[in-house]
Amino acid sequence: MSVARFFDEMSYGPAPEADAEARQWLARNNGAFGHFIDGAFVVAASGKTFDSFEPATGALLAKVALGGSEDVNAAVAAARKAQGPWAKLPGHARARHLYALARMIQRHARLIAVVEALDNGKPIRETRDIDIPLAARHFYHHAGWAQLQETEFADHVPVGVVGQVIPWNFPFLMLAWKVAPALALGNTVILKPAEFTPLTALLFAELASAAGLPPGVLNVVTGEGETGALIVEHEDIDKIAFTGSTEVGRLIREKTAGSGKSLTLELGGKSPFIVFDDADIDAAVEGVVDAIWFNQGQVCCAGSRLLVQEGVAPLFHERLKRRMATLRVGQPLDKAIDMAAIVAPVQLQRIETLVAKGVSEGASMHQPRIELPKGGSFYPPTLLTDVQPTSVVATEEIFGPVAVSMTFRTPEEAIQLANHSRYGLAASVWSETIGLALHVAAKLAAGVVWVNATNLFDASSGFGGKRESGFGREGGKEGCYEYLKPKAWLGRKLRLEPVQPALKPVAGDFGLPALDRTAKLFIGGKQARPDGNYSRPILSHKGKPVGEVGEGNRKDIRNAVVAARAASAWGSATAHNRAQILYYLAENLSARAAEFADRIVAMTGASTASAKAEVEASIARLFSYGAWADKYEGTVHQPPLRGVALAMPEPQGVVGVICPPEAPLLGFISLVAPLIAVGNRVIAVPSEPHPLAATDFYSVLETSDVPAGVVNIVTGSAMELAKTLAAHNDVDALWACGSSELSTLVEKLSTGNLKRTFVDYGKAIDWMDRSAAEGPAFLRRAVDVKNIWIPYGE
Ligand code: NAI
């Protein structure tokens, strides 16, 4: 027998990892675990527990405390008490704590890897080689940010007490993604692991305690969705960081609306995996293995939608099927298997139901003839072809080892199909033509794009989505900012109620241009009559009429959104071009400075000096954002892998802006200028009591080469127009300054397409103060960072 034949025919034997230590650890507390609160393990106040099972066998693994409100209260109180002293530690001291945690993880890596494989059902090969080393890397990397905090984040302070709710697919890695940056930057944490997989978080708490982490800095409260909800709704928590389903993410956005809690959501996906006909087909086939069969496909950024160029589709599918036949599904602790168990019977059922639906919708199913282990929850690697782009399996997150495959003919069609999704988490592009791959990468609506690779992660590179995949980033410097707030925004006071009574719109006569002193709306580069043909009088601070503006309605907003959407070229215009236009706006405003100052005096009763100062500050602010336009740039990350990740700030798209009632010109400029500087298009609703500075600005826009549709202005009721903008699913983000009710409304109604919101909870920024009202704090909120991983070097 030849050696080659011997290798071909040799059958695998199991190569099980020893689990004695892990079982011993589980047995230490008679298989029962309490919460970790204020540095000690405690039973639930209610005495209730829930069960954690071994997905591979269905056997009971442990009984775990079921967190109720008393437990959550105790954890929050401990975290609150610890936060001040923790934040006051020098960065170096916190860095040493994080370093100690990283070392602890490395020293106990084997135990963590085995417990994780038992509790989640995933292969030990993955926990040992990916999850746990990456978790340690996160603590190392963020130890570094703690060390550098005083210089790198000098103008920021920690957010405070953070509630973190994590899912079951990467229990330990998600813990690291959440806990490392939060602690590094001076926050304290209440972490709730998922109910299917609470054990490694408790093991981590034990290790953290042994590593000398001060009591209260990290608290772990175990429990189900209701426990998570108690954390989300707790009044003394400053920020919620959530990873999980889009459905629960949406609920959390709604529950936290108006509370002032900062929020990051890392949600689901249906990420495209695009194979061009010039791709290295074998590499791409191996890529699919990592994209959709890694962790049994229970990966938020799994490459679950294969888009294959028509010419190579038959060959690609044939080789993929051949590769599928060699995949081995087995016990999690067997080091020689590729896939292990699905986390729970309910998830298995969900996968089975969705695949059945796909088949009933006409998809062809391929599953290799491989043996599945008996007992436990197992599902074979599955490929669905002949799938329609609009079918359920092509649009819904299956969260299992199921790839659906479709074909395309041209790159443009590939981009269109890839972006045909309510999600926008990740994408993978396979082509040997660098120009093509990067052209496509730039056009994909995704927070992460891998070129000729898939599922690469590193602590240095931000991760997070667009659209309904959530907002905020984890990892990278941008991830650090999610746990910080600008110093200059502290101590803001609640706005006083507007002095001016709300005025009812009156029927207007718009037919006579010569006498018509009513400012129209500004939509698509043109002055447009309000759809309802109503106007509202504008009064001076003394109650005397100083003008009229159009009463914009839902239809006007719709028209403005269409105009803004059509102006997408602004996003791909060069930054140099955008900078020039911002300078030009400043120049043209400067030429009419006196007129604008007079208008401000007439509307607000401000002194001439302060009105002039507002106009001058507005001119300077336009200059500042002209300056930033070509300087707010990306970064190149050098993760410890073969390649680099380009972190590119991208415009969010179409952004609604509700301007503050005060500072009628400067407030408007301070919000609109950073947005357009980085390529967004806006629909601005000017100061409700004093809109005439913005309506006077139409002619400045008209004479400054601002392309039609980039800035649209709709006057009227801030509350009514905010409602329409918040509920509009083609608006990507909404910024709103005004009353706290306005903030609540904006956050609550924005859940449809999970738009990014930036609100002030009724607390006015001092617009004249450059450190508070201008710069990167605004630019960061105007972009989403896209991380594009490309092969580079040896
Ligand atoms: P889930 O979103 O319900 O659970 C994630 C975490 O949120 C868990 O810790 C859970 O206890 C907690 N939670 C549940 N309801 C909550 C609430 N009302 N308030 C606060 N916290 C709450 O996800 P689930 O039910 O485990 O999985 C269902 C589907 O979600 C999966 O099939 C998959 O499609 C998706 N999913 C996506 C993940 C991702 O990483 N994007 C991770 C896990 C699930």
Side-chain angles (χ1 to χ4, degrees), residues 164-170 174 192-196 223-233 242-249 251-252 255 266-269 298-301 343 346-347 350-351 354 397-400 423 425 469:
Q164 304 182 320
V165 179
I166 56 172
W168 43 260
N169 51 346
F170 292 93
M174 283 304 113
K192 193 200 83 66
E195 49 271 49
F196 294 145
E224 299 177 347
E226 279 156 40
T227 316
L230 288 169
I231 294 175
V232 164
E233 290 173 49
F242 172 78
T243 298
S245 59
T246 293
E247 190 190 354
V248 174
L251 201 68
I252 291 177
K255 294 277 182 205
E266 202 271 273
L267 310 174
Q298 303 166 124
V299 181
C300 51
C301 51
V343 75
V346 58
Q347 284 299 120
R350 182 188 148 88
I351 297 166
L354 279 166
E397 185 175 40
I398 299 177
F399 226 62
Y423 296 113
L425 192 49
S469 293

Side-chain angles (χ1 to χ4, degrees), residues 469-501:
S469 293
F471 42 76
R473 291 290 179 267
E474 298 189 295
K477 199 168 185 186
E478 60 265 35
C480 292
Y481 282 111
E482 308 285 355
Y483 288 97
L484 294 167
K485 56 185 176 189
K487 266 186 197 157
W489 292 359
L490 301 175
R492 286 177 299 144
K493 303 246 165 32
L494 265 184
R495 268 191 193 83
L496 299 171
E497 286 305 306
V499 197
Q500 208 172 9

Side-chain angles (χ1 to χ4, degrees), residues 95-362:
R96 288 177 73 142
H97 277 294
L98 270 102
Y99 173 72
L101 294 174
R103 292 289 299 127
M104 235 355 166
I105 294 171
Q106 287 184 318
R107 282 204 297 277
H108 297 274
R110 186 60 64 98
L111 176 62
I112 307 171
V114 176
V115 174
E116 188 82 321
L118 287 174
D119 199 19
N120 171 280
K122 59 167 75 188
I124 182 80
R125 215 161 43 83
E126 291 178 9
T127 60
R128 183 195 63 196
D129 298 346
I130 298 170
D131 299 15
I132 314 304
L134 255 179
R137 159 95 181 125
H138 266 264
F139 280 95
Y140 273 113
H141 182 78
H142 287 93
W145 283 125
Q147 177 71 24
L148 304 176
Q149 184 171 7
E150 282 109 355
T151 51
E152 289 297 303
F153 302 106
D155 49 359
H156 280 72
V157 295
V159 170
V161 172
V162 183
Q164 304 182 320
V165 179
I166 56 172
W168 43 260
N169 51 346
F170 292 93
F172 196 76
L173 184 56
M174 283 304 113
L175 171 151
W177 279 28
K178 295 268 182 300
V179 170
L183 298 194
L185 298 156
N187 305 277
T188 53
V189 163
I190 300 102
L191 175 90
K192 193 200 83 66
E195 49 271 49
F196 294 145
T197 54
L199 296 177
T200 46
L202 296 167
L203 174 52
F204 177 75
E206 201 177 295
L207 297 175
S209 178
L213 194 70
V217 169
L218 168 74
N219 304 276
V220 180
V221 177
T222 46
E224 299 177 347
E226 279 156 40
T227 316
L230 288 169
I231 294 175
V232 164
E233 290 173 49
H234 199 289
E235 284 198 346
D236 201 24
I237 289 185
D238 304 302
K239 177 189 166 76
I240 297 294
F242 172 78
T243 298
S245 59
T246 293
E247 190 190 354
V248 174
R250 197 168 266 137
L251 201 68
I252 291 177
R253 167 71 294 177
E254 214 173 297
K255 294 277 182 205
T256 53
S259 68
K261 285 190 182 91
S262 117
L263 179 64
T264 44
L265 298 174
E266 202 271 273
L267 310 174
K270 190 79 186 176
S271 300
F273 183 104
I274 309 169
V275 184
F276 285 99
D277 58 9
D278 62 352
D280 174 340
I281 296 295
D282 291 322
V285 164
E286 214 45 47
V288 177
V289 175
D290 291 336
I292 189 68
W293 295 312
F294 168 54
N295 201 18
Q296 295 68 246
Q298 303 166 124
V299 181
C300 51
C301 51
S304 50
R305 262 190 312 147
L306 310 185
L307 303 175
V308 188
Q309 198 156 16
E310 210 169 80
V312 285
L315 174 73
F316 182 80
H317 288 142
E318 184 214 310
R319 290 206 195 159
L320 185 59
K321 287 176 184 169
R322 210 193 301 159
R323 178 67 177 94
M324 287 169 79
T326 67
L327 290 170
R328 306 188 65 232
V329 182
Q331 293 298 331
L333 292 185
D334 184 346
K335 284 175 278 195
I337 53 105
D338 300 290
M339 282 170 52
I342 302 295
V343 75
V346 58
Q347 284 299 120
L348 180 63
Q349 230 170 53
R350 182 188 148 88
I351 297 166
E352 287 167 347
T353 310
L354 279 166
V355 170
K357 176 99 185 136
V359 172
S360 77
E361 281 180 334

